[in-house]
Amino acid sequence: MPSSSPGSGGKPQDALTDEASSDGASRITAQRRRLPDQPGVYLFRDARGRVIYVGKAKSIRKRVASHFSGRTQYGSTELVSLVDHVESVVVGTEAEALLA
């Protein structure tokens, strides 16, 4: 049975963790929706702000969405679970994304 922690308002600790995870997932979803549908480079950062993945794409929005689609060929669930923030750099062409 999950235990309550002081200052948690009597909510079980597992419930607090689930709420934080849900809040983080909705924040990432909102960030993904704001990503540009243009070529460029994207960075996944963890909760400490460290870059954990760098990718390039013809469409940043579509490529990042593919990581979160559940298909293992586009990235492991372990990687996705570590993502706290997504950043992007738009370039003029797909070839420029290779050089960025």
Side-chain angles (χ1 to χ4, degrees):
M1 180 171 176
S3 64
S4 294
S5 61
S8 68
K11 292 184 180 181
Q13 190 64 31
D14 290 350
L16 292 174
T17 303
D18 290 345
E19 287 175 14
S21 296
S22 175
D23 196 35
S26 62
R27 185 173 35 80
I28 293 292
T29 299
Q31 286 180 9
R32 286 176 31 211
R33 287 185 181 132
R34 291 190 303 265
L35 289 171
D37 189 19
Q38 297 174 293
V41 177
Y42 58 95
L43 294 86
F44 290 163
R45 292 188 180 267
D46 66 9
R48 291 181 163 180
R50 295 178 298 190
V51 174
I52 56 174
Y53 187 84
V54 177
K56 63 170 182 56
K58 289 189 265 187
S59 167
I60 296 170
R61 181 183 307 143
K62 290 175 185 173
R63 183 64 177 107
V64 169
S66 72
H67 284 280
F68 292 86
S69 71
R71 297 184 205 145
T72 56
Q73 68 188 29
Y74 293 118
S76 72
T77 54
E78 290 176 16
L79 173 67
V80 170
S81 69
L82 295 174
V83 176
D84 182 71
H85 184 77
V86 180
E87 296 176 13
S88 64
V89 177
V90 174
V91 295
T93 66
E94 184 182 6
E96 285 182 65
L98 292 169
L99 302 173

